[in-house]
Amino acid sequence: MSDPVLEPGRSARIDIVPETETALEAEPFSSIEEASIALEALGAKPQHVRTLFRAYLGRAAWPDASDERFPKRVREGLAAWRARMAAVLSVRSRHPGADPESERLLVTLADRQTVECVLLPRRGVCVSTQMGCAVGCVFCMTGKGGLVRQLSDLEIAAQAATARALRPLTKKIVFMGMGEPSHNLRNVLSAVRFLAEYGDFGHKDLVISTVGDERLFNELFASRVRPALAVSLHAIDEVKRRTLLPRGTRMTVEALTDAAERYARFSGYPVQYEWTLMAGVNDSFEEIDELARRLSGQYAMVNFIPVNAVEGSPYRRPEPEHARALVARLRAAGIVATLRDSAAQDVDGGCGQLRARVLKEEGK
Ligand SMILES: C[S@@+](CC[C@H](N)C(=O)[O-])C[C@H]1O[C@@H](n2cnc3c(N)ncnc32)[C@H](O)[C@@H]1O
Ligand code: SF4
């Protein structure tokens, strides 16, 4: 059995808005732009919009009905506006991890789709960017059903707002949950800008995790907000990488690591390579030596993630001792390397497994 704090099937709106009948019935805004236009239509000036978005992201107090710094129509319309913001998503169930600082959330969107969002140690939250994913990585639960739909910029930002409502000190957002950010680029970058501008999230505390994509790099180099970058590499051999990530990027490993290196220097933060470790697939010393040669001298680090077994999947983790030896091998070659520990394993990265498990338990 799972360990939901809420009863299965029950949702709760986290106190972005008081839980009233109006909130439960409100029509959600479809985008950040629509939410902004609705405020302007009430006579809100840019400074009012700013305060209200900051309040939504837990960085300002909501004005009360007597606050004359806000136009009367804004004050009168505020409850309905907040209800429409709150209607974007609700927390369906909460699943504390083995690590007391970690908790997975299954959230329900207005069309009843569910996505994962994970509260991480060290004041982080991992958010989803798509419902499903088209890349179809062979070890990933999210990729199994293909892409269902894109998340709107507001649906992405709402996960961060929910994290802030639950844990006001949340300061880091990793776009590492369900979905491939580069396949929903416009909405992901809009959410990134919104969170940096109104949520006081530092650029280096906004981390986009991607399989790599030319368009993503082009946008990042042109962007005012410079999020940090995590690149899911998993293999250095082109053919193997295409087998593991069947509908991933057309960029070669060389082009991808070169672009990531340029962006790391440009942004001022090292690129973090993710390497999902699978016994007998990508855990040989030879392959890791090749990785070390490729990354030599680059502003980069490697994070090994022992694979989480997905139902029906043949992929298994290497022995912990072997995984540690791979880390030591990279370090000996001068590359900063870490191994994600197993305590964090059950919650880190909302890879779609929680969603699959809860829906299965409910017979859906
Ligand atoms: C779920 S993906 C989302 C972000 C983006 N699509 C990507 O692949 O980087 C985030 C990370 O989770 C990893 N991941 C997915 N399924 C996993 C599994 N079964 N075990 C361990 N890591 C997994 C991916 O390799 C990726 O590095
Ligand atoms: S690992 Fe990332 S890119 Fe691959 S299927 Fe899962 S979500 Fe998509």
Side-chain angles (χ1 to χ4, degrees), residues 74-122:
V74 172
R75 282 180 274 147
E76 286 169 354
L78 191 55
W81 185 85
R82 287 178 65 180
R84 293 190 67 188
M85 291 297 271
V88 170
L89 65 74
S90 56
V91 177
R92 176 192 171 108
S93 54
R94 299 176 61 172
H95 307 257
D99 171 339
E101 280 193 78
S102 305
E103 184 174 1
R104 284 172 298 180
L105 308 177
L106 197 59
V107 301
T108 305
L109 307 172
D111 61 357
R112 313 310 298 164
Q113 292 287 356
T114 47
V115 289
E116 292 180 24
C117 168
V118 187
L119 305 179
L120 300 169
R122 294 180 290 282

Side-chain angles (χ1 to χ4, degrees), residues 128-131 147 149-153 155-156 178-191 213 215-216:
S128 292
T129 57
Q130 295 183 303
M131 177 63 241
L147 177 67
R149 75 164 171 87
Q150 305 288 16
L151 297 199
S152 74
D153 54 1
E155 287 171 327
I156 299 168
M178 297 166 65
E180 168 50 39
S182 69
H183 289 189
N184 188 14
L185 200 47
R186 198 163 52 98
N187 290 342
V188 169
L189 293 180
S190 167
D213 180 272
R215 281 190 331 121
L216 171 69

Side-chain angles (χ1 to χ4, degrees), residues 133 135-137 139-140 142-143 177-180 211:
C133 180
V135 179
C137 298
F139 48 81
C140 175
T142 301
M178 297 166 65
E180 168 50 39
V211 295

